[in-house]
């Protein structure tokens, strides 16, 4: 039953991702992420459980990330898959109703506003550097922050959006220059979420080109693997781990671990009924 549900969810997400790509829809990013963070790992886990390789799989996952203990005896696998599958179905229905398609946009040239954002991007990068008192390239979840530090990071993430218009207008050099601050900050403070604006804009630009060919699809998949590598390399570098390319790309992401933890911990699972765990799950 678990394997059957996992296969159905995997095929459904795969179909929606391909449909989003063909229609140049913004939701292509959602379905692709859904496949990577849950669809594929859950399919592998369900297959391992069905073939009675639970113990070996748990040991393998623990060696990848000792911060979380994947315990498939405690995890309510069926409830977890049903929850995600139902969420995906409702999301798909909402997508159909809204008709959220993102056709190719033609922008002949970037306006003064984009150059204004590029200028402010580097101004606030300088402010950030002068106001960051922590150690560089080290993961520290208890670092001290101040208002200027927080404001700088927020403005930099907002200014990064100008790269999309730069790219569409053919100003790729300016687009890359505008992406640098948020990527640089992500490595300095070893926080992966700050890579999201840069990588998201890169994906949106490739999808918005309207080149719905197999070759372009493989390019997007290649960029996807590079994005996975970059996001995990941030934490990998901060932890001073021994370099392992395959381990960086194919290891489990912490977002997957959080999802499993919710359906493994009774206090979180019980919270599904009052909405708090649902909100946490969706935001994850």
């Amino acid at each position: 039953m678990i394997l059957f549900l996992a296969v159905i969810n995997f095929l459904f997400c795969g179909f929606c991702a391909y449909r989003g790509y063909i229609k140049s829809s913004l939701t292509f990013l959602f379905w692709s992420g859904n496949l990577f963070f849950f669809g594929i790992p859950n399919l592998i886990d369900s297959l391992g459980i069905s073939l009675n390789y639970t113990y070996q799989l748990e040991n393998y996952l623990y060696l990848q990330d000792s911060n979380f203990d994947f315990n498939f005896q405690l995890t309510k696998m069926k409830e977890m898959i049903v929850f995600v599958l139902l969420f995906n179905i409702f999301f798909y229905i909402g997508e159909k109703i809204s008709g959220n398609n993102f056709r190719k946009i033609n922008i002949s040239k970037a306006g003064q506003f984009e150059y204004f954002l590029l200028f402010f991007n580097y101004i606030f990068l300088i402010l950030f550097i002068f106001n960051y008192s922590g150690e560089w390239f080290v993961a520290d979840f208890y670092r001290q922050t101040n208002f200027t530090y927080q404001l700088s990071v927020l403005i930099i993430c907002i200014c990064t959006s100008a790269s999309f218009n730069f790219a569409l207008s053919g100003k790729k050099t300016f687009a890359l220059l505008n992406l640098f601050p948020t990527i640089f900050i992500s490595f300095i403070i070893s926080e992966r979420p700050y890579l999201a604006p840069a990588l998201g804009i890169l994906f949106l630009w490739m999808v918005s080109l309207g080149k719905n060919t197999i070759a372009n699809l493989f390019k997007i998949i290649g960029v996807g693997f590079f994005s996975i590598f970059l996001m995990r390399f941030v934490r990998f570098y901060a932890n001073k781990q021994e370099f392992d390319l395959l381990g960086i790309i194919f290891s489990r992401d912490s977002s997957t671990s959080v999802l499993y933890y919710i359906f493994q911990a009774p206090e979180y699972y019980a919270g599904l009924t009052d909405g708090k765990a649902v909100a946490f799950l969706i935001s994850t």
Side-chain angles (χ1 to χ4, degrees):
M1 183 63 177
I2 293 175
L3 181 59
F4 173 76
L5 291 172
V7 170
I8 293 297
N9 182 71
F10 173 79
L11 294 176
F12 182 71
C13 288
F15 163 76
C16 291
Y18 183 73
R19 176 180 173 274
Y21 171 73
I22 293 297
K23 292 182 175 293
S24 297
S25 174
L26 290 170
T27 55
F28 170 76
L29 293 178
F30 169 80
W31 294 113
S32 301
N34 199 316
L35 267 176
F36 174 74
F37 289 110
F38 182 79
I40 296 175
N42 182 253
L43 179 63
I44 295 173
D45 296 342
S46 300
L47 181 62
I49 293 172
S50 300
L51 296 176
N52 294 320
Y53 282 100
T54 304
Y55 178 75
Q56 293 89 334
L57 184 59
E58 288 176 347
N59 284 340
Y60 173 74
L61 294 175
Y62 182 77
L63 290 175
Q64 286 188 335
D65 183 9
S66 59
N67 294 318
F68 179 76
D69 183 16
F70 280 88
N71 190 323
F72 297 112
Q73 300 297 324
L74 296 178
T75 306
K76 299 181 183 295
M77 294 288 292
K78 184 172 69 175
E79 288 83 351
M80 179 174 62
I81 301 173
V82 169
F83 178 89
V84 175
L85 181 59
L86 288 176
F87 177 83
N88 290 339
I89 291 173
F90 282 114
F91 189 93
Y92 175 76
I93 294 173
E95 179 187 352
K96 292 284 288 185
I97 293 173
S98 65
N100 183 20
N101 292 335
F102 188 66
R103 292 298 177 184
K104 183 179 179 180
I105 299 175
N106 293 314
I107 297 178
S108 58
K109 61 179 181 179
Q112 292 182 349
F113 183 66
E114 282 75 19
Y115 290 102
F116 173 80
L117 291 179
L118 173 61
F119 174 73
F120 265 80
N121 209 349
Y122 279 88
I123 290 296
F124 279 94
L125 175 61
I126 295 172
L127 284 175
F128 168 82
I129 293 174
F130 278 102
N131 283 275
Y132 180 67
S133 57
E135 187 176 353
W136 285 32
F137 309 115
V138 173
D140 182 8
F141 298 107
Y142 303 100
R143 65 171 59 90
Q144 297 294 321
T145 62
N146 54 51
F147 176 76
T148 306
Y149 163 91
Q150 295 174 334
L151 179 65
S152 300
V153 171
L154 176 62
I155 297 298
I156 287 171
C157 290
I158 294 174
C159 290
T160 302
S161 61
S163 290
F164 185 61
N165 282 5
F166 277 129
L168 289 178
S169 63
K171 303 290 185 179
K172 296 179 182 179
T173 301
F174 286 104
L176 292 174
L177 283 173
N178 198 48
L179 292 179
F180 174 77
T182 187
I183 297 174
F184 185 57
I185 284 178
S186 181
F187 274 89
I188 288 178
I189 63 179
S190 300
E191 290 290 341
R192 299 178 298 173
Y194 299 115
L195 283 174
L199 298 177
I201 287 172
L202 180 59
F203 274 106
L204 289 178
W205 172 67
M206 296 187 71
V207 173
S208 69
L209 293 176
K211 298 179 181 179
N212 301 326
T213 61
I214 298 298
N216 194 54
L217 179 60
F218 276 103
K219 289 180 182 178
I220 293 177
I221 293 174
V223 172
F225 274 104
F226 173 74
S227 301
I228 294 167
F229 168 80
L230 192 61
M231 293 193 74
R232 289 179 174 171
F233 185 74
V234 169
R235 188 61 52 80
F236 178 90
Y237 184 81
N239 293 335
K240 304 296 186 297
Q241 294 175 254
E242 184 179 348
F243 186 81
D244 179 9
L245 179 60
L246 293 179
I248 293 174
I249 295 178
F250 294 105
S251 61
R252 289 294 176 90
D253 194 88
S254 58
S255 298
T256 306
S257 305
V258 170
L259 182 65
Y260 274 73
Y261 177 74
I262 290 175
F263 283 89
Q264 182 175 309
E267 62 273 16
Y268 274 99
Y269 182 73
L272 287 170
T273 57
D274 59 23
K276 293 180 181 179
V278 175
F280 180 51
L281 202 56
I282 293 175
S283 64
T284 302

